[in-house]
Amino acid sequence: MERMKRIVSVLALTVILAACGGTSSTATVCKEQYWDGTIGTCLPAGWSIVPREKLAERGLPEEVIAAFQRGETISGQTPVLLVTKEALTQDVKPKDYSDASIRSVSALPSYKLIDSRDEDIDGDKVQIHIYTAQPVSSEPARRFYQLSTVKNKVGYTFTALAPVSVPSALDTEILTMLKAATLKGPSSSSK
């Protein structure tokens, strides 16, 4: 139950973050590799890192360890990707953690599964889970893309938020970021 409350609160605050944004053009290729010493991904052109102080200003909890946003809005919303971490009390396999995350969000208001697909992240099978939900009743339903995995008794969840209907280019950008998610550092780290 505590995990569900935390998920709902992070998703609700993600909606607030998605309401803020700017403008720029985007492409569907990986422009920059991101690695902060804990998590990594690929940033397509048009996506940028949200500074930690901005996350605090917007009220996001400390569990949010990284955030990225698209410079161009879609249907008045700024697509974002948040990465959260959760300390675990015991060893959990990445697939089991991924499955538990999917079960947790399936209880969200207006939840509807769009797609679920297997993905190999750092040699472990997990799922990219795509769904719509309306975690905040006063806000419209949103599309979420989620991937969860584990390393050293810490669970990590990558959650992207977008409008319910997304252009194929945005869908490709988000899936590129999730498929590139990693908890293993590159040989030459760069941020």
Side-chain angles (χ1 to χ4, degrees):
M1 189 61 167
E2 182 61 32
R3 178 183 167 105
M4 181 61 180
K5 286 179 186 175
R6 187 171 39 250
I7 288 172
V8 170
S9 97
V10 168
L11 292 179
L13 289 167
T14 303
V15 170
I16 293 167
L17 181 61
C20 306
T23 60
S24 75
S25 62
T26 60
T28 57
V29 296
C30 184
K31 179 183 166 198
E32 174 185 355
Q33 290 295 328
Y34 172 85
W35 175 252
D36 67 8
T38 303
I39 61 106
T41 191
C42 157
L43 294 180
W47 285 82
S48 61
I49 301 162
V50 178
R52 181 74 219 163
E53 57 274 4
K54 292 266 189 204
L55 299 178
E57 285 173 14
R58 294 177 183 170
L60 291 172
E62 288 297 315
E63 291 90 1
V64 177
I65 60 169
F68 312 94
Q69 71 180 26
R70 190 173 194 246
E72 185 178 330
T73 61
I74 303 291
S75 301
Q77 300 173 34
T78 302
V80 297
L81 181 125
L82 297 179
V83 183
T84 58
K85 73 175 184 175
E86 170 185 25
L88 304 173
T89 58
Q90 59 189 21
D91 283 325
V92 177
K93 293 180 181 174
K95 182 180 181 341
D96 294 339
Y97 188 73
S98 177
D99 292 345
S101 292
I102 291 170
R103 283 191 304 276
S104 292
V105 298
S106 67
L108 288 169
S110 303
Y111 170 87
K112 181 181 177 193
L113 176 66
I114 294 174
D115 191 16
S116 188
R117 53 184 85 167
D118 290 335
E119 191 59 45
D120 185 305
I121 302 297
D122 297 334
D124 294 306
K125 286 277 188 223
V126 295
Q127 288 198 348
I128 293 177
H129 177 227
I130 306 169
Y131 61 96
T132 58
Q134 187 176 7
V136 179
S137 62
S138 62
E139 295 285 334
R142 311 286 173 131
R143 178 182 292 231
F144 296 89
Y145 297 72
Q146 193 169 58
L147 177 140
S148 298
T149 191
V150 174
K151 181 179 179 183
N152 300 332
K153 290 189 181 179
V154 178
Y156 296 89
T157 300
F158 293 71
T159 305
L161 173 72
V164 170
S165 291
V166 297
S168 62
L170 176 59
D171 184 69
T172 300
E173 291 168 11
I174 292 171
L175 290 172
T176 297
M177 293 169 73
L178 292 178
K179 290 176 180 180
T182 184
L183 304 177
K184 294 181 179 180
S187 55
S188 60
S189 312
S190 64
K191 224 173 175 181

